[in-house]
Amino acid sequence: MEESKNYGHHHPLLLLDEEQLINNQSGVADCSKCGEKVSAPCFSCAEYCGFYLHKELEHFVCQDPLVSTKNDDEELEEVRKCFGCWEPLANYTHISPYCGFNLHKKCAELPLELSNICHCQHPLVLQFNSERLSCKICKVTQKRGFVYGCSSCKLVFHIECLSPPLDLATEDESHQHTFTRLLRRVPYICDACGIEGIYNAYICCTCNIMVHKRCTSLPRIIKSKWHDHCIFHKYFLRNDFKSSSCTICHDEVNPKHGSYSCSYCNIKFHLRCVTEEKSLYSVVSLENEYEISNGGLEILSDKSVESATCVFEKNDAGEATKIKHFKHLHDLKLSPFVGGYENNCDGCMLPISEPFYYCLECVFFLHKVCAELPKVKHVWHHPCQQPLSLISNKAFCCGMCWHVSNAFAYECCKCETKICLRCMIAFTPGARTFLKHEHPLFFYRDYKGRCNACSLPTWAAFCCKDCNFVLHRGCFSLPITAHHKCDVHLFSLTDHDNNSYSESHYCDICEESRDPNRWFYHCAACDTSAHVGCVLGQYPLFKLGSIYEDKDYPHPLTIVKKIYHYPKCDKCGKLCEDLALECSKFDCKYIIHWNCATSRSLQRWWEWLL
């Protein structure tokens, strides 16, 4: 039973089928608008006060008085929508059949019945798509607004898909030639989007392509939050793309059908995936910023992507070996070494691994992937329309993982939300590498299952397409190795316990029991195991030794972690056993807990899941 708008009635209305109508009124009821007998399906008052309404719109759209309003009426709010097309009422002159039911004038003047070549057997009736049927022409389900439908055949057509018979050709600047409408009903695969069509095909004889009507006006160039560069619509793709999968949904993209792609990065997107949410892309019309190459538009230089590095030297493979990053004073060199390292990346604060850059004059390290991130980046998962700028040396709480850090981050210029580099890299569309798993992982926004690391349910996760390996967002960013003061060796993230000496699985740091189904940290040399939270501590992602400016203290403060000697906090008097701020002046003994000196927004408030 489906709930509907009240259409001038004080209670909500429900859509009744034949059995429900018989149960309500023994099959006999009059329409409260026209007085005629109603038959299923029809609308009925949810409170059962005797209000019934025909399902067709004839009885309540055109037989009620229409009250006109002007386009510039100040009392007309933008948020109010037309019940016919669901566009804002302020866009056009509108009418109101009665209180609570508003229509644009153009929608109220639509014919109630329509004969069309797409369905010759029966007339099509203007109605709501209450059964949520997909349009027979474009195959898309319209959730709200008017459609033309045939109740006998259980089919509907979007109004915009049923073009007038004289509309035989259409021109649009998104395609260089004129599309001609094919009046014959033939099944086809749209060359623009790859979705099957049956009615109203539009053909371009010059390019020998056949498309839906809505696909005749597809933008040729768009700027999507899913990718740093502008992407281009093409009807056919070359076979030299490095991946055959869509960067968003990870399903295969047929090169013989239309799609969006970035020639600079050799990646592609399904048309339906990249244009599904209008807030995630914008149309680019300034084609003078691009050049014509190989018979089509190719991106040669995208001014919206500004590199964070300046390259001084390259090797024979074209890889940058000496660079200057705009967030560091000295030159950085690509490491030629192979092996384990005990330093952390100054960009993401995760342990250093190949490939990475190191400073020639001071202790500074950057993963190659962190160094190659642009100065400004559009992010698909951020609600603001503004780009995010790369910042550093500023304490922040990540808006996605809630970790507090002072490493590199991206900051929104509108809402000032910060996103750490770990989250930024993890949620960049495409395959992600995780050292604890042999296959690449892909992020799925709508995945239901259990995380392999913490065994908890997940509704969005990094998943492997080759096996059943699943990781939460937070578990994906766990450091593979970590330091702790209780052991001189590095702890390694471990997914199984081979220790036979203990069946109860205790943590060697807190001496509490461990869940054997959850990942933990293990030192093979000492044969010790510990909870993830016990090893990482409260603030594992801080760059120690950096300066923090406290407006309540006259001298600069240095971020430190006391390991063996624990002085008392000058504010609360308790021992400084974790992150603290220490006066940088040699003769000053001032020290204060991080939590005592900073605001609540820069303090960790959640507990580790592992």
Side-chain angles (χ1 to χ4, degrees):
M1 187 176 292
E2 181 178 349
E3 187 171 315
S4 175
K5 302 288 183 182
N6 59 13
Y7 303 121
H9 188 63
H10 295 296
H11 303 144
L13 303 181
L14 300 177
L15 182 65
L16 304 182
D17 57 23
E18 185 173 356
E19 181 180 353
Q20 293 164 339
L21 178 61
I22 293 175
N23 292 336
N24 275 23
Q25 286 289 334
S26 301
V28 179
D30 295 333
C31 176
S32 299
K33 287 295 176 182
C34 66
E36 298 179 5
K37 301 296 182 185
V38 295
S39 58
C42 67
F43 290 109
S44 174
C45 175
E47 303 295 333
Y48 301 106
C49 59
F51 187 92
Y52 287 84
L53 202 65
H54 282 104
K55 180 183 174 185
E56 287 75 18
L57 297 180
E58 177 180 1
H59 305 284
F60 59 93
V61 173
C62 292
Q63 293 186 7
D64 282 291
L66 304 181
V67 181
S68 298
T69 63
K70 294 184 178 180
N71 210 13
D72 56 353
D73 188 355
E74 295 181 356
E75 297 180 358
L76 189 63
E77 300 177 4
E78 274 291 325
V79 295
R80 300 181 66 189
K81 307 286 185 178
C82 168
F83 276 36
C85 63
W86 216 252
E87 292 183 5
L89 291 172
N91 289 357
Y92 311 94
T93 299
H94 82 287
I95 57 179
S96 177
Y98 42 80
C99 180
F101 190 90
N102 295 292
L103 292 172
H104 292 128
K105 187 173 184 294
K106 62 183 181 67
C107 295
E109 293 176 347
L110 289 170
L112 299 175
E113 287 189 0
L114 189 69
S115 297
N116 194 279
I117 191 173
C118 295
H119 188 66
C120 304
Q121 299 94 317
H122 310 106
L124 301 177
V125 179
L126 188 67
Q127 59 186 266
F128 285 115
N129 189 9
S130 56
E131 297 184 29
R132 299 292 189 267
L133 301 175
S134 60
C135 174
K136 291 293 290 182
I137 294 178
C138 68
K139 303 297 183 182
V140 175
T141 302
Q142 182 175 298
K143 296 181 179 179
R144 296 169 173 173
F146 293 170
V147 293
Y148 278 102
C150 176
S151 300
S152 302
C153 300
K154 295 287 185 182
L155 52 82
V156 297
F157 299 87
H158 293 156
I159 296 172
E160 61 270 18
C161 293
L162 290 172
S163 303
L166 296 179
D167 183 18
L168 301 179
T170 180
E171 292 187 39
D172 193 277
E173 61 180 11
S174 62
H175 189 72
Q176 58 268 44
H177 309 127
T178 299
F179 283 100
T180 303
R181 184 184 176 197
L182 182 65
L183 293 178
R184 291 194 61 184
R185 188 175 72 175
V186 293
Y188 65 97
I189 301 296
C190 176
D191 289 311
C193 67
I195 299 176
E196 182 184 7
I198 299 177
Y199 306 95
N200 280 14
Y202 282 77
I203 59 175
C204 175
C205 299
T206 306
C207 301
N208 194 24
I209 58 176
M210 184 179 293
V211 301
H212 299 117
K213 182 185 178 181
R214 71 175 187 273
C215 293
T216 60
S217 58
L218 286 172
R220 299 174 74 183
I221 311 172
I222 63 175
K223 186 69 182 72
S224 172
K225 285 190 175 182
W226 287 97
H227 192 57
D228 291 330
H229 305 122
C230 292
I231 54 178
F232 297 76
H233 177 261
K234 295 183 179 180
Y235 292 96
F236 309 102
L237 291 175
R238 303 188 303 269
N239 294 323
D240 56 353
F241 280 82
K242 64 182 180 181
S243 173
S244 62
S245 300
C246 171
T247 307
I248 299 176
C249 71
H250 318 304
D251 292 335
E252 185 178 1
V253 177
N254 192 331
K256 296 181 181 179
H257 298 154
S259 60
Y260 280 93
S261 63
C262 174
S263 301
Y264 184 80
C265 300
N266 273 342
I267 61 174
K268 48 192 175 181
F269 305 82
H270 285 127
L271 184 145
R272 66 177 184 273
C273 292
V274 80
T275 60
E276 181 181 13
E277 299 182 46
K278 292 184 178 181
S279 62
L280 294 184
Y281 74 93
S282 58
V283 178
V284 177
S285 58
L286 300 177
E287 296 186 2
N288 56 352
E289 296 187 12
Y290 305 88
E291 298 183 23
I292 301 295
S293 174
N294 298 325
L297 279 168
E298 299 286 345
I299 181 167
L300 300 183
S301 61
D302 191 343
K303 298 178 181 179
S304 65
V305 181
E306 186 178 1
S307 175
T309 62
C310 179
V311 179
F312 295 143
E313 295 178 4
K314 291 185 178 181
N315 57 21
D316 294 338
E319 192 176 33
T321 56
K322 187 177 181 180
I323 64 171
K324 177 71 169 62
H325 196 278
F326 85 111
K327 287 296 182 181
H328 190 65
L329 295 175
H330 310 131
D331 295 343
L332 304 178
K333 197 160 183 78
L334 186 66
S335 172
F337 307 112
V338 177
Y341 307 94
E342 295 186 0
N343 299 96
N344 288 339
C345 169
D346 287 82
C348 65
M349 292 308 297
L350 294 179
I352 276 292
S353 59
E354 270 84 17
F356 69 93
Y357 290 97
Y358 66 97
C359 182
L360 299 172
E361 302 183 38
C362 65
V363 182
F364 184 86
F365 299 87
L366 273 183
H367 290 124
K368 189 172 183 290
V369 65
C370 295
E372 291 175 346
L373 289 171
K375 288 184 179 180
V376 178
K377 190 174 179 66
H378 286 83
V379 185
W380 64 267
H381 50 75
H382 188 60
C384 294
Q385 298 297 315
Q386 302 299 321
L388 282 73
S389 301
L390 188 63
I391 62 172
S392 66
N393 298 323
K394 182 188 294 186
F396 68 93
C397 179
C398 176
M400 294 198 66
C401 68
W402 307 314
H403 276 299
V404 181
S405 176
N406 63 338
F408 286 16
Y410 277 92
E411 182 179 37
C412 176
C413 58
K414 183 178 181 180
C415 68
E416 298 185 352
T417 297
K418 282 88 172 172
I419 301 177
C420 67
L421 258 61
R422 297 175 305 284
C423 292
M424 189 64 69
I425 295 172
F427 290 95
T428 298
R432 305 266 72 84
T433 300
F434 184 69
L435 296 180
K436 298 294 296 181
H437 192 67
E438 57 182 333
H439 306 135
L441 302 181
F442 300 87
F443 182 70
Y444 290 85
R445 291 183 289 173
D446 301 311
Y447 179 86
K448 294 183 179 180
R450 287 192 175 272
C451 174
N452 284 58
C454 63
S455 302
L456 295 178
T458 178
W459 290 267
F462 292 90
C463 309
C464 178
K465 296 171 67 175
D466 301 316
C467 60
N468 295 324
F469 187 79
V470 179
L471 285 181
H472 272 127
R473 298 185 302 178
C475 298
F476 177 83
S477 298
L478 286 174
I480 301 301
T481 60
H483 294 277
H484 192 269
K485 63 183 179 181
C486 73
D487 201 312
V488 295
H489 309 107
L490 279 174
F491 279 91
S492 298
L493 189 63
T494 307
D495 56 357
H496 61 279
D497 199 339
N498 290 328
N499 288 336
S500 58
Y501 75 89
S502 174
E503 296 182 358
S504 55
H505 305 285
Y506 278 94
C507 170
D508 289 304
I509 295 178
C510 70
E511 299 183 352
E512 298 289 338
S513 62
R514 291 188 295 105
D515 186 343
N517 295 319
R518 294 185 175 183
W519 289 7
F520 60 97
Y521 280 103
H522 181 68
C523 174
C526 303
D527 200 17
T528 56
S529 303
H531 293 120
V532 167
C534 292
V535 173
L536 297 182
Q538 280 193 318
Y539 299 104
L541 302 173
F542 262 93
K543 190 161 106 177
L544 302 180
S546 56
I547 300 298
Y548 179 82
E549 298 290 343
D550 187 356
K551 61 182 180 180
D552 296 328
Y553 189 73
H555 306 145
L557 299 175
T558 304
I559 300 176
V560 296
K561 267 189 180 181
K562 295 300 181 180
I563 299 177
Y564 302 110
H565 173 61
Y566 306 122
K568 291 184 178 180
C569 172
D570 281 82
K571 184 174 183 178
C572 69
K574 296 180 180 179
L575 298 180
C576 294
E577 295 180 341
D578 199 11
L579 198 69
L581 297 172
E582 192 175 52
C583 184
S584 57
K585 294 188 68 174
F586 178 75
D587 57 345
C588 182
K589 302 299 182 181
Y590 178 82
I591 189 169
I592 186 173
H593 286 120
W594 174 265
N595 287 0
C596 292
T598 57
S599 63
R600 180 68 176 167
S601 62
L602 293 178
Q603 298 174 19
R604 180 196 152 197
W605 50 268
W606 50 275
E607 295 295 330
W608 292 97
L609 294 177
L610 297 178

